[in-house]
Amino acid sequence: MHELSVAMGIVRIAEQEISKTTAKKVELIELEIGDLAGIELDSLEYVWGAAVQGTVLENARKKIHRLVGIGICLDCDEKFEMHRHYDSCPNCESFLKKIIQGKELRVKALEVV
Ligand SMILES: [Zn+2]
């Protein structure tokens, strides 16, 4: 499952970060996930427990910030919210756009102990 590799990637990032410190484990991890990142939050939730087992994230609380998709129309410069990759411009209905937000998947913050 795609979300499992996503979760394991997050674990790797957390382990790298924590290895730079004297901390032993993560208390809180904050993630930013864009609406267009192609990640099902339910699936991520489902695999999370297994992915973090025995890692620095095992007992960490997880906070997820959603980032709405935002595109700029290449035909009329309209800036608009996107919920799916194939959303068209609400102003001129063009499908040509540049996505400027919504594909993020990043670790925003870690609180360690
Ligand atoms: Zn447009």
Side-chain angles (χ1 to χ4, degrees):
M1 190 190 287
H2 168 63
E3 279 72 17
L4 182 59
S5 59
V6 168
M8 290 169 74
I10 294 167
V11 168
R12 267 198 302 279
I13 292 169
E15 286 185 332
Q16 276 167 15
E17 289 304 313
I18 211 164
S19 70
K20 298 174 192 164
T21 72
T22 56
K24 292 275 180 292
K25 56 183 180 135
V26 177
E27 198 162 65
L28 172 71
I29 181 164
E30 289 190 46
L31 304 171
E32 278 185 338
I33 299 179
D35 279 348
L36 306 175
I39 295 167
E40 290 286 340
L41 287 191
D42 288 351
S43 306
L44 183 62
E45 204 61 55
Y46 183 73
V47 299
W48 185 257
V52 302
Q53 200 168 23
T55 75
V56 296
L57 288 178
E58 184 157 21
N59 296 309
R61 282 176 300 124
K62 169 163 56 51
K63 204 190 266 183
I64 294 178
H65 305 268
R66 300 306 310 260
L67 292 174
V68 68
I70 296 175
I72 290 183
C73 177
L74 295 180
D75 284 321
C76 74
D77 285 335
E78 176 89 355
K79 196 171 169 186
F80 58 99
E81 273 190 18
M82 294 174 60
H83 302 285
R84 290 168 298 268
H85 276 277
Y86 49 82
D87 281 354
S88 60
C89 171
N91 189 41
C92 73
E93 285 169 18
S94 169
F95 284 98
L96 294 172
K97 72 254 164 178
K98 185 174 163 201
I99 296 171
I100 58 168
Q101 179 182 292
K103 295 204 283 192
E104 296 80 356
L105 166 61
R106 54 175 179 246
V107 176
K108 188 169 179 245
L110 286 174
E111 270 177 40
V112 297
V113 284

